[in-house]
mmCIF file of all heavy atoms in Angstrom:
data_model
loop_
_atom_site.group_PDB
_atom_site.id
_atom_site.type_symbol
_atom_site.label_atom_id
_atom_site.label_comp_id
_atom_site.label_asym_id
_atom_site.label_seq_id
_atom_site.Cartn_x
_atom_site.Cartn_y
_atom_site.Cartn_z
ATOM 1 N N GLY A 1371 80.986 88.215 74.042
ATOM 2 C CA GLY A 1371 79.646 87.927 74.353
ATOM 3 C C GLY A 1371 79.284 86.507 74.457
ATOM 4 O O GLY A 1371 80.028 85.665 74.001
ATOM 5 N N ILE A 1372 78.100 86.299 74.975
ATOM 6 C CA ILE A 1372 77.567 84.889 74.982
ATOM 7 C C ILE A 1372 76.096 84.921 74.585
ATOM 8 O O ILE A 1372 75.347 85.866 74.977
ATOM 9 C CB ILE A 1372 77.670 84.300 76.470
ATOM 10 C CG1 ILE A 1372 79.167 84.167 76.820
ATOM 11 C CG2 ILE A 1372 76.992 82.925 76.538
ATOM 12 C CD1 ILE A 1372 79.411 83.439 78.126
ATOM 13 N N GLN A 1373 75.702 83.976 73.778
ATOM 14 C CA GLN A 1373 74.272 83.886 73.361
ATOM 15 C C GLN A 1373 73.370 83.391 74.496
ATOM 16 O O GLN A 1373 73.645 82.307 75.053
ATOM 17 C CB GLN A 1373 74.099 82.859 72.262
ATOM 18 C CG GLN A 1373 74.724 83.185 70.999
ATOM 19 C CD GLN A 1373 74.321 82.154 69.883
ATOM 20 O OE1 GLN A 1373 73.170 82.233 69.390
ATOM 21 N NE2 GLN A 1373 75.214 81.244 69.585
ATOM 22 N N SER A 1375 70.967 81.539 74.383
ATOM 23 C CA SER A 1375 70.174 80.505 73.622
ATOM 24 C C SER A 1375 69.883 79.295 74.420
ATOM 25 O O SER A 1375 69.382 78.318 73.893
ATOM 26 C CB SER A 1375 70.872 80.175 72.282
ATOM 27 O OG SER A 1375 72.280 79.929 72.544
ATOM 28 N N THR A 1379 76.798 76.912 79.842
ATOM 29 C CA THR A 1379 77.440 75.635 80.156
ATOM 30 C C THR A 1379 78.829 75.807 80.703
ATOM 31 O O THR A 1379 79.389 76.941 80.719
ATOM 32 C CB THR A 1379 77.554 74.817 78.884
ATOM 33 O OG1 THR A 1379 78.503 75.449 78.039
ATOM 34 C CG2 THR A 1379 76.205 74.703 78.072
ATOM 35 N N GLY A 1381 81.352 74.677 79.262
ATOM 36 C CA GLY A 1381 82.159 75.113 78.104
ATOM 37 C C GLY A 1381 82.178 76.595 77.968
ATOM 38 O O GLY A 1381 83.250 77.259 77.807
ATOM 39 N N ASN A 1382 81.003 77.247 78.074
ATOM 40 C CA ASN A 1382 80.901 78.732 78.014
ATOM 41 C C ASN A 1382 81.743 79.307 79.134
ATOM 42 O O ASN A 1382 82.401 80.405 79.000
ATOM 43 C CB ASN A 1382 79.481 79.225 78.072
ATOM 44 C CG ASN A 1382 78.556 78.748 76.972
ATOM 45 O OD1 ASN A 1382 77.475 78.361 77.216
ATOM 46 N ND2 ASN A 1382 79.029 78.807 75.772
ATOM 47 N N GLY A 1385 85.683 78.343 78.569
ATOM 48 C CA GLY A 1385 86.221 78.941 77.333
ATOM 49 C C GLY A 1385 86.099 80.415 77.315
ATOM 50 O O GLY A 1385 86.815 81.110 76.625
ATOM 51 N N ALA A 1386 85.076 80.963 77.995
ATOM 52 C CA ALA A 1386 84.831 82.392 77.817
ATOM 53 C C ALA A 1386 84.699 83.118 79.181
ATOM 54 O O ALA A 1386 85.467 83.926 79.541
ATOM 55 C CB ALA A 1386 83.576 82.603 76.981
ATOM 56 N N GLN A 1472 80.776 76.925 61.363
ATOM 57 C CA GLN A 1472 79.575 76.883 62.235
ATOM 58 C C GLN A 1472 78.275 76.870 61.413
ATOM 59 O O GLN A 1472 77.370 76.111 61.751
ATOM 60 C CB GLN A 1472 79.554 78.111 63.187
ATOM 61 C CG GLN A 1472 78.552 77.875 64.262
ATOM 62 C CD GLN A 1472 78.570 78.967 65.284
ATOM 63 O OE1 GLN A 1472 77.938 80.073 65.212
ATOM 64 N NE2 GLN A 1472 79.304 78.726 66.371
ATOM 65 N N LYS A 1476 75.770 73.882 61.691
ATOM 66 C CA LYS A 1476 74.357 74.092 62.146
ATOM 67 C C LYS A 1476 73.298 73.693 61.110
ATOM 68 O O LYS A 1476 72.211 73.558 61.443
ATOM 69 C CB LYS A 1476 74.205 75.461 62.636
ATOM 70 C CG LYS A 1476 74.972 75.720 63.929
ATOM 71 C CD LYS A 1476 74.429 76.820 64.756
ATOM 72 C CE LYS A 1476 75.041 76.809 66.168
ATOM 73 N NZ LYS A 1476 74.666 77.798 67.108
ATOM 74 N N TYR A 1492 75.202 85.705 60.519
ATOM 75 C CA TYR A 1492 75.556 85.805 61.896
ATOM 76 C C TYR A 1492 77.004 86.437 62.079
ATOM 77 O O TYR A 1492 77.146 87.383 62.836
ATOM 78 C CB TYR A 1492 75.502 84.421 62.458
ATOM 79 C CG TYR A 1492 75.941 84.166 63.841
ATOM 80 C CD1 TYR A 1492 74.996 83.729 64.714
ATOM 81 C CD2 TYR A 1492 77.248 84.255 64.291
ATOM 82 C CE1 TYR A 1492 75.364 83.462 66.102
ATOM 83 C CE2 TYR A 1492 77.670 83.983 65.603
ATOM 84 C CZ TYR A 1492 76.757 83.535 66.438
ATOM 85 O OH TYR A 1492 77.094 83.276 67.774
ATOM 86 N N PRO A 1509 88.261 87.735 73.826
ATOM 87 C CA PRO A 1509 88.460 86.403 74.420
ATOM 88 C C PRO A 1509 87.326 85.508 73.935
ATOM 89 O O PRO A 1509 86.146 85.832 74.238
ATOM 90 C CB PRO A 1509 88.458 86.650 75.929
ATOM 91 C CG PRO A 1509 87.838 87.975 76.151
ATOM 92 C CD PRO A 1509 87.840 88.794 74.831
ATOM 93 N N VAL A 1510 87.617 84.334 73.373
ATOM 94 C CA VAL A 1510 86.613 83.402 72.922
ATOM 95 C C VAL A 1510 87.095 81.995 73.072
ATOM 96 O O VAL A 1510 88.312 81.790 73.253
ATOM 97 C CB VAL A 1510 86.259 83.650 71.386
ATOM 98 C CG1 VAL A 1510 85.335 84.812 71.222
ATOM 99 C CG2 VAL A 1510 87.459 83.730 70.558
ATOM 100 N N GLY A 1511 86.244 81.009 72.963
ATOM 101 C CA GLY A 1511 86.582 79.625 72.756
ATOM 102 C C GLY A 1511 87.034 79.395 71.377
ATOM 103 O O GLY A 1511 86.844 80.235 70.457
ATOM 104 N N ASP A 1512 87.663 78.246 71.226
ATOM 105 C CA ASP A 1512 88.333 77.917 69.903
ATOM 106 C C ASP A 1512 87.286 77.856 68.817
ATOM 107 O O ASP A 1512 87.658 78.202 67.605
ATOM 108 C CB ASP A 1512 88.933 76.444 70.139
ATOM 109 C CG ASP A 1512 89.669 75.985 68.969
ATOM 110 O OD1 ASP A 1512 90.648 76.643 68.566
ATOM 111 O OD2 ASP A 1512 89.234 74.982 68.378
ATOM 112 N N ASP A 1513 86.060 77.544 69.043
ATOM 113 C CA ASP A 1513 85.086 77.460 67.994
ATOM 114 C C ASP A 1513 84.805 78.791 67.247
ATOM 115 O O ASP A 1513 84.191 78.795 66.177
ATOM 116 C CB ASP A 1513 83.685 76.886 68.472
ATOM 117 C CG ASP A 1513 83.125 77.700 69.591
ATOM 118 O OD1 ASP A 1513 83.860 78.211 70.482
ATOM 119 O OD2 ASP A 1513 81.861 77.899 69.585
ATOM 120 N N GLN A 1514 85.131 79.861 67.949
ATOM 121 C CA GLN A 1514 84.834 81.180 67.334
ATOM 122 C C GLN A 1514 86.061 81.747 66.583
ATOM 123 O O GLN A 1514 86.008 82.867 66.097
ATOM 124 C CB GLN A 1514 84.484 82.192 68.411
ATOM 125 C CG GLN A 1514 83.129 81.840 69.090
ATOM 126 C CD GLN A 1514 81.997 81.926 68.122
ATOM 127 O OE1 GLN A 1514 82.050 82.719 67.139
ATOM 128 N NE2 GLN A 1514 80.972 81.165 68.325
ATOM 129 N N ALA A 1548 91.118 74.950 78.437
ATOM 130 C CA ALA A 1548 89.710 74.471 78.034
ATOM 131 C C ALA A 1548 89.198 75.431 76.907
ATOM 132 O O ALA A 1548 88.065 75.899 77.121
ATOM 133 C CB ALA A 1548 88.855 74.535 79.317
ATOM 134 N N THR A 1549 89.942 75.584 75.891
ATOM 135 C CA THR A 1549 89.396 76.456 74.837
ATOM 136 C C THR A 1549 88.302 75.734 74.001
ATOM 137 O O THR A 1549 87.575 76.318 73.297
ATOM 138 C CB THR A 1549 90.510 76.916 73.868
ATOM 139 O OG1 THR A 1549 91.185 75.734 73.400
ATOM 140 C CG2 THR A 1549 91.548 77.758 74.605
ATOM 141 N N ARG A 1550 88.259 74.396 74.201
ATOM 142 C CA ARG A 1550 87.207 73.630 73.554
ATOM 143 C C ARG A 1550 86.840 72.477 74.482
ATOM 144 O O ARG A 1550 87.369 71.371 74.429
ATOM 145 C CB ARG A 1550 87.681 73.034 72.156
ATOM 146 C CG ARG A 1550 86.561 72.329 71.384
ATOM 147 C CD ARG A 1550 87.055 71.876 70.054
ATOM 148 N NE ARG A 1550 87.023 72.940 69.068
ATOM 149 C CZ ARG A 1550 86.049 73.172 68.245
ATOM 150 N NH1 ARG A 1550 85.015 72.312 68.143
ATOM 151 N NH2 ARG A 1550 86.108 74.173 67.351
ATOM 152 N N VAL A 1551 85.823 72.695 75.296
ATOM 153 C CA VAL A 1551 85.306 71.707 76.236
ATOM 154 C C VAL A 1551 84.314 70.828 75.387
ATOM 155 O O VAL A 1551 83.458 71.320 74.665
ATOM 156 C CB VAL A 1551 84.541 72.347 77.403
ATOM 157 C CG1 VAL A 1551 83.922 71.233 78.361
ATOM 158 C CG2 VAL A 1551 85.474 73.261 78.170
ATOM 159 N N LYS A 1560 81.584 69.230 70.534
ATOM 160 C CA LYS A 1560 81.664 70.362 71.498
ATOM 161 C C LYS A 1560 80.543 70.337 72.548
ATOM 162 O O LYS A 1560 79.442 70.036 72.107
ATOM 163 C CB LYS A 1560 81.582 71.710 70.606
ATOM 164 C CG LYS A 1560 81.931 72.863 71.479
ATOM 165 C CD LYS A 1560 81.713 74.196 70.560
ATOM 166 C CE LYS A 1560 80.269 74.557 70.542
ATOM 167 N NZ LYS A 1560 80.058 76.027 70.247
ATOM 168 N N MET A 1561 80.858 70.632 73.736
ATOM 169 C CA MET A 1561 79.792 70.796 74.773
ATOM 170 C C MET A 1561 78.989 72.045 74.372
ATOM 171 O O MET A 1561 79.574 73.113 74.084
ATOM 172 C CB MET A 1561 80.330 70.975 76.147
ATOM 173 C CG MET A 1561 79.339 71.083 77.180
ATOM 174 S SD MET A 1561 79.952 71.349 78.871
ATOM 175 C CE MET A 1561 80.532 69.706 79.315
ATOM 176 N N SER A 1562 77.709 71.910 74.263
ATOM 177 C CA SER A 1562 76.864 72.945 73.648
ATOM 178 C C SER A 1562 75.550 73.080 74.442
ATOM 179 O O SER A 1562 74.941 72.184 74.875
ATOM 180 C CB SER A 1562 76.600 72.587 72.227
ATOM 181 O OG SER A 1562 75.982 73.603 71.553
ATOM 182 N N LYS A 1563 75.094 74.366 74.535
ATOM 183 C CA LYS A 1563 73.812 74.656 75.121
ATOM 184 C C LYS A 1563 72.600 73.997 74.467
ATOM 185 O O LYS A 1563 71.650 73.553 75.007
ATOM 186 C CB LYS A 1563 73.371 76.141 75.083
ATOM 187 C CG LYS A 1563 74.422 77.153 75.630
ATOM 188 C CD LYS A 1563 73.793 78.478 75.395
ATOM 189 C CE LYS A 1563 74.855 79.531 75.469
ATOM 190 N NZ LYS A 1563 75.454 79.832 74.165
ATOM 191 N N SER A 1564 72.784 73.918 73.128
ATOM 192 C CA SER A 1564 71.617 73.430 72.292
ATOM 193 C C SER A 1564 71.693 71.870 72.056
ATOM 194 O O SER A 1564 70.861 71.389 71.291
ATOM 195 C CB SER A 1564 71.512 74.181 71.024
ATOM 196 O OG SER A 1564 72.712 74.090 70.318
HETATM 197 N N1 AQP B 1254 82.399 73.804 74.506
HETATM 198 C C1 AQP B 1254 83.024 74.996 74.552
HETATM 199 N N2 AQP B 1254 84.317 75.065 75.036
HETATM 200 C C2 AQP B 1254 84.933 76.265 75.108
HETATM 201 N N3 AQP B 1254 84.412 77.388 74.802
HETATM 202 C C3 AQP B 1254 83.125 77.402 74.385
HETATM 203 N N4 AQP B 1254 82.227 78.329 74.016
HETATM 204 C C4 AQP B 1254 81.107 77.804 73.634
HETATM 205 N N5 AQP B 1254 81.082 76.485 73.732
HETATM 206 C C5 AQP B 1254 82.380 76.166 74.205
HETATM 207 C C6 AQP B 1254 82.560 79.750 73.996
HETATM 208 O O1 AQP B 1254 81.554 80.453 74.746
HETATM 209 C C7 AQP B 1254 81.398 81.720 74.207
HETATM 210 C C8 AQP B 1254 79.906 81.997 73.955
HETATM 211 O O2 AQP B 1254 79.420 81.096 72.947
HETATM 212 P P1 AQP B 1254 78.048 81.392 72.285
HETATM 213 O O3 AQP B 1254 77.005 81.361 73.284
HETATM 214 O O4 AQP B 1254 78.100 82.659 71.539
HETATM 215 O O5 AQP B 1254 77.797 80.367 71.227
HETATM 216 P P2 AQP B 1254 78.369 79.010 70.873
HETATM 217 O O6 AQP B 1254 79.829 79.001 70.706
HETATM 218 O O7 AQP B 1254 77.607 78.506 69.703
HETATM 219 O O8 AQP B 1254 77.994 78.157 72.238
HETATM 220 P P3 AQP B 1254 76.999 76.975 72.365
HETATM 221 O O9 AQP B 1254 76.985 76.683 73.856
HETATM 222 O O10 AQP B 1254 77.447 75.840 71.548
HETATM 223 O O11 AQP B 1254 75.682 77.615 72.011
HETATM 224 P P4 AQP B 1254 74.603 77.046 70.936
HETATM 225 O O12 AQP B 1254 74.331 75.662 71.336
HETATM 226 O O13 AQP B 1254 73.442 78.009 71.107
HETATM 227 O O14 AQP B 1254 75.202 77.147 69.518
HETATM 228 C C9 AQP B 1254 82.227 81.833 72.905
HETATM 229 O O15 AQP B 1254 83.453 82.484 73.191
HETATM 230 C C10 AQP B 1254 82.458 80.345 72.567
HETATM 231 O O16 AQP B 1254 83.747 80.216 71.860
#
Side-chain angles (χ1 to χ4, degrees):
I1372 296 187
Q1373 294 187 72
S1375 47
T1379 69
N1382 298 137
Q1472 193 175 86
K1476 290 205 166 178
Y1492 178 115
V1510 281
D1512 184 61
D1513 61 318
Q1514 292 296 332
T1549 56
R1550 184 177 280 261
V1551 177
K1560 191 184 82 155
M1561 182 181 285
S1562 188
K1563 306 178 198 92
S1564 55

